[in-house]
Structure formats: C-alpha cells, structure tokens
Amino acid sequence: MDPNDLNSRLSRIENMLLSQKTVLNFEEASVYTGLSKSHLYKLTSTDGIPCYKPTGKKGVYFDKGEIDEWLLKNQKINKSETETVFKLKLTVATSNISKIKVLVIGCFRILKLTIRYTIIILKFMLFQDC
C-alpha cells in the first residue's frame, strides 16, 4: 500500500473520531478550528474563545458545541442581503420622515391657530379699552 494513501486514510479516520467528541483538548481544538496553536493560545489567554480550565488539571478544554457557535459568530452579509437591509432601513427612514412631516405640519397648524386666537383676543382687549 502507498504510504501517502495510508497517511490520507489515517487522517480521515482521525477526523472522524474527532468529530464524535464533545470535549476537545487544546491540540484537538487547534486541529478542529484550523487555528495555529499560538493563535489559539492567544485567544484563550484573552478570553477570545470559550474554554475551560478545570481546577487541578493541566491544560485547557473546549466544548465543541460552543466552538461551533463561536466559529459561526459575526456572519458576513452578502451583497443581496446588504441591499435588502438597506432598502428596509430606507423604507423605515422614509416612513419616519413622513410621520415627522405630519407632526411638524400639525404643530404649525396649532401655532397658526394660536396666533389667530391671540390676535383676536388682543383686538377684543383693545376695543374694550376704547
């Protein structure tokens, strides 16, 4: 059997076994995430990745489900989704502008009526003095 083929098969078996585990050690987490050990260490030391350090044990451990969630955080929105979100925000902004316009027009009408009534009251008071 070809040594390259044997190594390839062995690697696939290791990956299958790794996929069955729910708790990963540091080495396994590095392989599973595809992160270098130095980068993974930096993330663990800065609380940039969810991990556990049991009391009295050496090493750091990872919950595979939490690692999966962490890997899927901060989804990048594609162009069509960006356009959809922009159109939605534009629609909301336009709707809000329309509502504000109605409120401003209403305020001006109230102000106009207030000024009219103030003028009427002032005229009435002037004629009372005569």
Side-chain angles (χ1 to χ4, degrees):
M1 183 174 264
D2 181 21
N4 288 335
D5 186 41
L6 189 57
N7 285 335
S8 174
R9 293 175 91 185
L10 181 60
S11 179
R12 280 192 305 229
I13 291 170
E14 287 173 342
N15 287 337
M16 285 173 43
L17 289 173
L18 185 61
S19 69
Q20 300 301 313
K21 293 184 76 172
T22 57
V23 176
L24 307 174
N25 64 28
F26 189 84
E27 182 84 29
E28 293 166 338
S30 175
V31 170
Y32 183 72
T33 60
L35 299 172
S36 69
K37 291 178 187 176
S38 61
H39 186 63
L40 186 58
Y41 177 77
K42 183 177 181 181
L43 289 171
T44 59
S45 65
T46 59
D47 296 327
I49 190 168
C51 62
Y52 300 87
K53 184 163 178 49
T55 307
K57 288 231 177 201
K58 279 190 171 182
V60 179
Y61 297 90
F62 303 86
D63 180 298
K64 188 175 166 205
E66 290 177 356
I67 296 299
D68 288 337
E69 288 177 25
W70 179 81
L71 288 169
L72 296 175
K73 277 193 333 186
N74 301 324
Q75 178 183 8
K76 184 178 178 193
I77 298 175
N78 64 37
K79 187 177 178 182
S80 67
E81 289 174 332
T82 303
E83 289 172 355
T84 303
V85 168
F86 177 75
K87 287 176 184 175
L88 179 62
K89 286 183 177 181
L90 185 61
T91 303
V92 169
T94 304
S95 173
N96 288 342
I97 289 171
S98 297
K99 290 175 185 175
I100 291 169
K101 185 178 175 184
V102 168
L103 286 172
V104 168
I105 290 171
C107 288
F108 277 126
R109 286 182 180 160
I110 291 170
L111 184 61
K112 187 176 173 183
L113 287 172
T114 304
I115 291 171
R116 277 188 188 166
Y117 287 124
T118 304
I119 291 171
I120 291 171
I121 291 170
L122 287 172
K123 283 181 181 178
F124 179 75
M125 290 172 65
L126 281 173
F127 287 121
Q128 290 290 331
D129 289 341
C130 294

